[in-house]
Amino acid sequence: MSVSVPLKAALRGRCGVCSQGKLFDRFLKLKSRCDHCGQDFTVADTADGPAFFVGFFIMIILAPFYFILPVAQIPILAKVFGYGAVLAATIGLAYWLLPLAKAALFNLQIYHRAEQARFEDHAPN
Ligand SMILES: [Zn+2]
């Protein structure tokens, strides 16, 4: 059992159990089950985890450019072009990384049979 199996499958957008069936029905929308092995994809939910990690990663990488551009000693046209480039990079990275992050977190959940925490039925006396 290796952690790299579900992560390698996530990079290809494939099921974390069999590495064959496709995960996504459309952009960020998971299928209800795996076409290949029949794994139920409704048993796990990544919630906003992928957006959290991707958002912070992009912020760490690109935020310095948003702060440096206004104070840079460059022509205004260069600043406008710079803002356009940084904005395009922000949107492009988000669209590229969100499916990968969602697939990685989801595959780790189904591969390791992770479930939501529950309180036990029996209270100690
Ligand atoms: Zn599968």
Side-chain angles (χ1 to χ4, degrees):
M1 184 180 281
S2 169
V3 75
S4 66
V5 171
L7 293 178
K8 284 179 182 173
L11 288 176
R12 298 182 301 118
R14 301 296 174 161
C15 171
V17 174
C18 68
S19 300
Q20 298 298 316
K22 288 184 177 179
L23 273 178
F24 293 104
D25 199 17
R26 56 182 184 267
F27 187 71
L28 296 180
K29 175 74 176 159
L30 292 170
K31 292 183 168 195
S32 58
R33 65 180 46 251
C34 178
D35 296 333
H36 189 259
C37 70
Q39 166 68 44
D40 183 6
F41 288 162
T42 63
V43 296
D45 183 15
T46 59
D48 58 354
F52 174 83
F53 289 114
V54 169
F56 272 92
F57 175 76
I58 292 172
M59 184 181 73
I60 290 167
I61 299 296
L62 295 178
F65 295 103
Y66 283 107
F67 292 114
I68 291 170
L69 274 173
V71 296
Q73 300 294 324
I74 56 176
I76 187 72
L77 196 59
K79 287 184 181 185
V80 170
F81 178 77
Y83 273 120
V86 175
L87 184 62
T90 302
I91 294 169
L93 275 174
Y95 272 88
W96 178 54
L97 292 175
L98 273 173
L100 296 177
K102 182 165 185 157
L105 293 178
F106 182 78
N107 275 356
L108 288 171
Q109 284 181 315
I110 61 172
Y111 184 79
H112 294 289
R113 306 280 180 219
E115 294 180 351
Q116 194 168 21
R118 281 181 275 180
F119 291 107
E120 292 187 28
D121 295 336
H122 308 288
N125 293 330

